């Protein structure tokens, strides 16, 4: 009787395991799982009005575009136009920050599915599912809890990789212009219009396709034409944007934003770079270790197969993209997570240590980021709401200057931009001095001469400050304004005390 009971229990266990495996084996079910997990991990931050200055600025630009603003002309930044078009589309649905935050959660969930589908080529089902799950768990550790640019373009990069891998049989037979390959080059090109550093991965996929076609039976004359067509498809989105700005008479602003400004930007000091890189290293090291173990030891439990040279090349391309801008902010590592999680799936598939490795990474993720702290969002809503009310109540008619603080205050207080340098760091951060097509000090003097009615600035500066503009603004508010509010401005990882100087009367002594 005891033996029969044990057999029943064992049989039930295997039946349950098979049912779960079968459910996860269907990609629509897996998509539902990843999207649900992504939403659960981010739900506490939904509605945060200042989750990160970068992404709320992107959303502000998206809103301004609906009001006629032209990126790089009316509002300046170095990000490619695809990112602003994406936020413009989101702002067309709703101007609530929840709109872009939920969209980012959907993008993250879809990317996790693509990670799992790519990983399935080298790993078993267990490894593929755990790889997608780890991608979602680790995003917040690298400031990917909201709508940072890589949260969006990682989907396009991973789709490009998946389509290239799916098209390999056709490529090896000399078929170079299948719909999969053309679509792969297009989505790779779209990724570049969201962040320039995606060029390294997109170029790698293109070169990989060219190399496979070169080794196929395709005639050399046809090969050259095929490669040129695919390159044109990949470059198409960027060329289309450049053509629009050229025809609109804004080529100078566009070229400066995309090329010159990136060369002119100063680098942080060595101590800052070392501190950032060390913090980043400790967070990404566990995943890198699992990736290396998978590539070296392989899997003893899954169907590990396929050409791992593609995977190693992808990791190298993503690493080059990461190193191409050696500022080592946490979110700069977000693109690395996609190929790292795909490669880590090989080790996650092991029956002996795969689950252990996953549990360690999940535990470290929970240690660094607690996903259910709703109070941070609530207090941020209160503080930013207070700042916006003070701005509306104490503007004497001259408008708003956010020297430092939440960029979204312009939209929340319904104030127009006084300068194309809307992102506060372009005025207040030392490394951003004279990086745009405008002289920073001269532009600040012009704005202050116009007499803004309200100024938001920090009680103490959080960044290595631009001393020239700091003194200009300090002189203006001390002569013309009074302190009307001070609030802790909460971002998701930091806070700073922001002062609102209102009721400004520039006729009492405008800064010159």
């Amino acid at each position: 009787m005891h033996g029969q009971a044990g057999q029943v229990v064992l049989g039930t266990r295997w039946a349950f395991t098979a049912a779960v495996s079968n459910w996860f084996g269907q990609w629509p079910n897996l998509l539902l799982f990843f999207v649900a997990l992504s939403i659960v991990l981010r739900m506490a931050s939904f509605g945060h009005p200042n989750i990160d200055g970068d992404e709320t600025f992107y959303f502000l630009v998206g809103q301004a575009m609906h009001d006629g603003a032209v990126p790089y002309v009316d509002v300046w930044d170095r990000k490619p136009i695809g990112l602003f078009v994406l936020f413009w589309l989101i702002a067309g649905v709703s101007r609530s920050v929840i709109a872009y935050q939920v969209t980012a959660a959907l993008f993250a969930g879809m990317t996790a599915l693509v990670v799992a589908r790519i990983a399935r080529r080298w790993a078993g089902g267990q490894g593929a599912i755990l790889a997608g799950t780890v991608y979602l768990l680790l995003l917040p550790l690298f400031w990917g809890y909201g709508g940072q640019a890589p949260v969006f373009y990682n989907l396009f990069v991973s789709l490009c990789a998946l389509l290239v891998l799916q098209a390999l049989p056709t490529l090896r037979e000399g078929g170079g212009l299948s719909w999969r390959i053309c679509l792969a080059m297009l989505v790779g090109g779209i990724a570049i219009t969201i962040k320039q550093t995606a060029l390294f991965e997109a170029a790698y996929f293109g070169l990989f396709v060219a190399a496979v076609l070169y080794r196929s039976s395709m005639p050399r004359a046809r090969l050259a034409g095929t490669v040129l067509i695919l390159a044109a498809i990949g470059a198409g989105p960027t060329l289309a944007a450049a053509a629009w700005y050229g025809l609109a008479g804004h080529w100078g602003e566009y070229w400066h934003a995309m090329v010159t400004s990136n060369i002119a930007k100063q680098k942080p000091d060595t101590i800052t770079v070392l501190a950032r890189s060390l913090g980043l290293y400790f967070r990404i090291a566990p995943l890198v270790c699992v990736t290396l173990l998978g590539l070296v030891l392989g899997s003893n439990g899954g169907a590990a197969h396929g050409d791992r040279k593609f995977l190693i090349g992808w990791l190298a391309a993503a690493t080059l993209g990461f190193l191409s801008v050696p500022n080592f902010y946490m979110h700069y590592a977000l693109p690395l997570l996609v190929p790292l999680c795909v490669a880590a799936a090989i080790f996650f598939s092991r029956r002996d240590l795969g689950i252990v490795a996953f549990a360690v990474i999940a535990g470290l993720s929970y240690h660094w980021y607690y996903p259910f702290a709703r109070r941070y969002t609530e207090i941020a809503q209160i503080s930013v709401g207070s700042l916006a009310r003070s701005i509306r109540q104490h503007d004497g008619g001259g408008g708003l200057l956010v020297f430092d603080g939440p960029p979204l205050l312009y939209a929340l207080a319904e104030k127009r931009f006084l300068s194309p340098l809307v992102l506060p760091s372009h005025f207040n951060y030392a490394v951003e001095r004279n990086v745009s097509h405008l002289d920073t000090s001269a532009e600040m003097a012009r704005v202050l001469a116009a007499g803004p009615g309200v100024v938001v600035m920090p009680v103490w500066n959080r960044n290595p400050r631009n001393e020239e503009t700091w003194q200009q603004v300090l002189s203006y508010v001390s002569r013309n304004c009074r302190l009307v509010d001070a609030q802790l401005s909460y971002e998701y990882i930091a806070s700073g005390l922001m002062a609102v100087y209102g009721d400004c009367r520039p006729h009492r002594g405008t800064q010159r």
Side-chain angles (χ1 to χ4, degrees), residues 118-138:
I118 298 173
R120 194 67 179 85
R121 185 177 183 88
W122 290 278
Q126 171 184 299
I129 293 169
L130 295 183
T133 302
V134 164
Y135 174 76
L136 294 176
L137 291 175
L138 292 186

Side-chain angles (χ1 to χ4, degrees), residues 29-329:
N29 297 337
L30 198 55
L31 175 61
L32 179 63
F33 167 74
F34 284 134
V35 168
L37 178 60
S38 178
I39 290 174
V40 167
L41 291 173
R42 293 159 172 264
M43 189 175 295
S45 67
F46 287 169
H48 197 301
N50 190 35
I51 191 169
D52 182 90
D54 285 346
E55 60 194 66
T56 51
F57 168 71
Y58 307 149
F59 192 48
L60 176 67
V61 176
Q63 295 179 42
M65 289 169 68
H66 283 280
D67 299 326
V70 177
Y72 319 123
V73 180
D74 300 307
V75 54
W76 190 85
D77 196 55
R78 286 184 296 274
K79 297 294 188 299
I81 191 62
L83 181 63
F84 298 121
V85 169
L86 177 60
F87 277 85
W88 171 77
L89 291 171
I90 298 169
V93 176
S94 172
R95 295 200 175 195
S96 167
V97 290
I98 295 177
Y100 90 78
Q101 291 161 359
V102 169
T103 303
L106 296 176
F107 267 70
M110 290 187 287
T111 306
L113 173 67
V114 179
V115 166
R117 294 195 67 179
I118 298 173
R120 194 67 179 85
R121 185 177 183 88
W122 290 278
Q126 171 184 299
I129 293 169
L130 295 183
T133 302
V134 164
Y135 174 76
L136 294 176
L137 291 175
L138 292 186
L139 280 177
L141 270 66
F142 301 94
W143 305 354
Y145 32 62
Q148 284 285 356
V151 174
F152 295 104
Y153 75 76
N154 277 356
L155 176 61
F156 295 100
V157 170
S158 58
L159 273 174
C160 184
L162 176 62
L163 289 165
V164 168
L165 289 169
Q166 289 178 337
L168 269 179
T170 302
L171 290 172
R172 286 168 175 157
E173 292 174 1
L177 292 177
S178 68
W179 70 266
R180 279 193 174 90
I181 286 301
C182 291
L183 182 58
M185 298 301 103
L186 179 61
V187 297
I190 292 173
I192 297 170
T193 68
I194 298 177
K195 185 67 179 289
Q196 296 97 324
T197 52
L199 171 66
F200 291 88
E201 290 169 273
Y204 168 71
F205 297 138
L207 291 172
F208 180 83
V209 168
V212 174
L213 288 175
Y214 181 81
R215 292 194 296 268
S216 73
S217 58
M218 179 180 285
R220 293 295 177 261
R222 184 181 161 208
L223 171 64
T226 299
V227 170
L228 286 175
I229 291 172
L230 293 177
I233 293 173
T238 297
L239 294 177
W244 187 92
Y245 275 91
L247 293 173
H250 298 303
W251 172 254
E253 293 96 330
Y254 178 79
W255 177 260
H256 185 92
M258 293 299 97
V259 179
T260 310
S261 64
N262 287 286
I263 298 172
K265 183 179 179 181
Q266 302 175 42
K267 301 297 184 289
D269 61 86
T270 303
I271 298 298
T272 299
V273 170
L274 287 175
R276 289 175 186 169
S277 58
L278 190 62
L280 193 153
Y281 167 79
F282 282 117
R283 295 193 178 202
I284 206 168
L287 180 61
V288 172
C289 290
V290 174
T291 294
L292 293 175
L293 287 171
L295 292 173
V296 173
L297 301 179
S299 169
N300 63 6
H305 60 81
D307 188 356
R308 294 188 191 178
K309 293 180 181 177
F310 173 87
L311 193 51
I312 294 171
W314 183 9
L315 284 165
T319 302
L320 283 175
F322 169 70
L323 295 175
S324 66
V325 186
N327 292 329
F328 302 117
Y329 288 112

Side-chain angles (χ1 to χ4, degrees), residues 218-497:
M218 179 180 285
R220 293 295 177 261
R222 184 181 161 208
L223 171 64
T226 299
V227 170
L228 286 175
I229 291 172
L230 293 177
I233 293 173
T238 297
L239 294 177
W244 187 92
Y245 275 91
L247 293 173
H250 298 303
W251 172 254
E253 293 96 330
Y254 178 79
W255 177 260
H256 185 92
M258 293 299 97
V259 179
T260 310
S261 64
N262 287 286
I263 298 172
K265 183 179 179 181
Q266 302 175 42
K267 301 297 184 289
D269 61 86
T270 303
I271 298 298
T272 299
V273 170
L274 287 175
R276 289 175 186 169
S277 58
L278 190 62
L280 193 153
Y281 167 79
F282 282 117
R283 295 193 178 202
I284 206 168
L287 180 61
V288 172
C289 290
V290 174
T291 294
L292 293 175
L293 287 171
L295 292 173
V296 173
L297 301 179
S299 169
N300 63 6
H305 60 81
D307 188 356
R308 294 188 191 178
K309 293 180 181 177
F310 173 87
L311 193 51
I312 294 171
W314 183 9
L315 284 165
T319 302
L320 283 175
F322 169 70
L323 295 175
S324 66
V325 186
N327 292 329
F328 302 117
Y329 288 112
M330 283 290 178
H331 60 283
Y332 283 19
L334 289 172
L336 292 173
L337 295 184
V338 175
L340 283 173
C341 286
V342 169
I346 301 172
F347 194 79
F348 287 145
S349 286
R350 295 180 67 93
R351 294 193 185 100
D352 49 3
L353 294 175
I355 295 293
V356 174
F358 168 78
V360 169
I361 290 178
L364 290 173
S365 170
Y366 185 82
H367 170 73
W368 273 309
Y369 172 78
Y370 179 67
F372 308 114
R374 180 69 186 172
R375 67 182 182 277
Y376 296 120
T377 296
E378 293 170 349
I379 59 178
Q381 290 171 335
I382 293 171
S383 66
V384 172
S386 176
L387 291 171
R389 282 192 301 274
S390 296
I391 290 166
R392 288 192 296 267
Q393 293 168 1
H394 296 279
D395 179 10
L400 170 65
L401 168 64
V402 180
F403 182 72
D404 193 5
L408 208 59
L409 284 173
Y410 285 102
L412 296 175
E414 300 178 338
K415 300 297 180 182
R416 62 184 177 86
F417 303 152
L418 300 182
S419 167
L421 303 184
V422 178
L423 184 64
S425 61
H426 291 154
F427 265 140
N428 66 48
Y429 195 11
V431 301
E432 296 287 349
R433 180 180 177 274
N434 294 339
V435 171
S436 77
H437 59 286
L438 302 169
D439 181 280
T440 309
S441 182
E443 179 65 5
M444 178 56 74
R446 184 192 68 79
V447 170
L448 295 177
V454 183
V455 176
V456 179
M457 64 185 302
V459 173
W460 60 83
N461 215 59
R462 297 178 294 172
N463 294 322
R465 69 191 183 199
N466 181 329
E467 196 62 37
E468 288 180 322
T469 55
W470 172 266
Q471 292 300 329
Q472 286 173 288
V473 175
L474 198 61
S475 176
Y476 178 85
V477 298
S478 64
R479 294 179 181 183
N480 305 303
C481 314
R482 68 184 185 89
L483 179 66
V484 297
D485 196 4
Q487 294 285 335
L488 274 173
S489 174
Y490 293 93
E491 296 183 9
Y492 219 63
I493 58 169
S495 64
L497 186 60

